[in-house]
Amino acid sequence: MTAQTGNAVPKAEKLSDLFSLKGKVVIVTGASGPRGMGIEAARGCAEMGANVAITYASRKEGAEKNVAELEKEYGVKAKCYKLQIDDYSDCQRLISDVIKDFGKIDAFIANAGATANGGLLDDSKEEWDRVVQTDLSGTAYCAKAVGPHFKERGTGSFVITASMSGHIANYPQEQTSYNVAKAGCIHMARSLANEWRGFARVNSISPGYIDTGLSDFIDQKTQDLWNSMIPLHRPGNAKELKGAYVYLVSDASSYTTGADIVIDGGYTCR
């Protein structure tokens, strides 16, 4: 059986070469924070040699600081772009701008997202729309915008930051909109892996509770309850995810598509 374009076995034999991203261009959305999953994914890709385009929604200063760090620390080209992820035309603009600035796009890490403030009955209709539009539709808009470029080149990797919340219902906090959106992201990755089978790979990563600073406002009693439900008994650090992102955008994962990698300290195994 002959592999379709973009699905051939890599020529590299050494693991170091399979994981190398030298000469590749990777977009990472939602990478303006100092210690979030987005910037750690970008750091991982840059460390392996990729040129990196990162996006921000409102924290321009943070994104610019991250760009300076990426260029200085890893010696790669990096640039930041403002992105309104729930606006398809803005996603199209991002792709056009990155191709103009970098020449191509090899991989796209759809990491930008929003959290829920309450359950279905407590939150407003507008809050439901905000979360689903950002986390699910925004991810789809990014895929729809970059997909034609992958198809034209006959190669590409699209990685979605989903969540263990797409597999379970969290407790004690109520966040149905977020859970539903992330479950949709997991199945979007599976569906696109099939739809794009001739030219690109699509996978998702489902993190558990990760200490990025965004949950610092949560009371200690609730955080202790979360930790009691995790076999490793602690939240993850965002740097513990970057290896998975690098794997999925590199040739090391050339036979991996339609997969969801759960990195949750064992939470979902109970």
Side-chain angles (χ1 to χ4, degrees), residues 16-249:
S16 58
D17 293 333
L18 288 168
F19 273 98
S20 174
L21 297 175
K22 290 181 180 178
K24 293 193 175 184
V25 177
V26 181
I27 295 178
V28 184
T29 64
S32 61
R35 58 190 178 104
M37 292 181 283
I39 186 56
E40 286 297 347
R43 286 170 180 150
C45 292
E47 183 178 346
M48 299 309 293
N51 293 322
V52 183
I54 65 173
T55 76
Y56 64 94
S58 59
R59 295 182 293 188
K60 183 179 181 180
E61 184 177 341
E64 290 176 339
K65 184 177 180 180
N66 286 345
V67 163
E69 177 212 311
L70 292 168
E71 292 190 325
K72 180 180 179 181
E73 184 70 21
Y74 305 107
V76 301
K77 178 180 178 180
K79 189 170 182 178
C80 62
Y81 303 81
K82 182 175 176 59
L83 174 64
Q84 188 67 36
I85 198 170
D86 60 357
D87 182 344
Y88 176 55
S89 63
D90 211 35
C91 295
Q92 290 179 302
R93 178 198 54 77
L94 170 69
I95 300 305
S96 177
D97 288 349
V98 172
I99 293 173
K100 181 169 59 178
D101 293 338
F102 289 82
K104 63 172 182 173
I105 300 167
D106 294 285
F108 193 114
I109 297 175
N111 173 74
T115 56
N117 293 319
L120 181 64
L121 297 184
D122 293 333
D123 260 357
S124 65
K125 178 262 185 191
E126 288 73 24
E127 272 296 291
W128 171 278
D129 291 344
R130 178 186 66 84
V131 174
V132 173
Q133 188 72 6
T134 301
D135 292 353
L136 185 59
S137 296
T139 299
Y141 295 162
C142 289
K144 186 172 179 59
V146 77
H149 180 66
F150 286 168
K151 187 173 184 179
E152 180 183 4
R153 296 186 66 229
T155 184
S157 175
F158 192 80
V159 182
I160 300 172
T161 298
S163 172
M164 72 171 185
S165 301
H167 294 274
I168 53 92
N170 300 70
Y171 179 83
Q173 73 275 26
E174 309 299 348
Q175 51 181 52
T176 297
S177 58
Y178 182 82
N179 298 350
V180 168
K182 291 302 185 178
C185 283
I186 294 167
H187 204 59
M188 185 191 307
R190 294 189 183 116
S191 300
L192 287 178
N194 180 58
E195 182 180 325
W196 294 5
R197 59 191 176 275
F199 58 88
R201 296 180 298 103
V202 185
N203 297 281
S204 60
I205 293 176
S206 286
Y209 290 116
I210 306 298
D211 181 12
T212 63
L214 296 179
S215 297
D216 288 350
F217 70 95
I218 300 295
D219 64 272
Q220 192 59 50
K221 183 178 179 181
T222 298
Q223 293 193 44
D224 289 343
L225 177 59
W226 290 348
N227 290 336
S228 73
M229 298 178 180
I230 303 170
L232 294 187
H233 208 68
R234 65 170 176 85
N237 186 291
K239 69 182 180 182
E240 295 178 288
L241 301 174
K242 64 182 178 179
Y245 284 109
V246 169
Y247 169 70
L248 290 177
V249 301

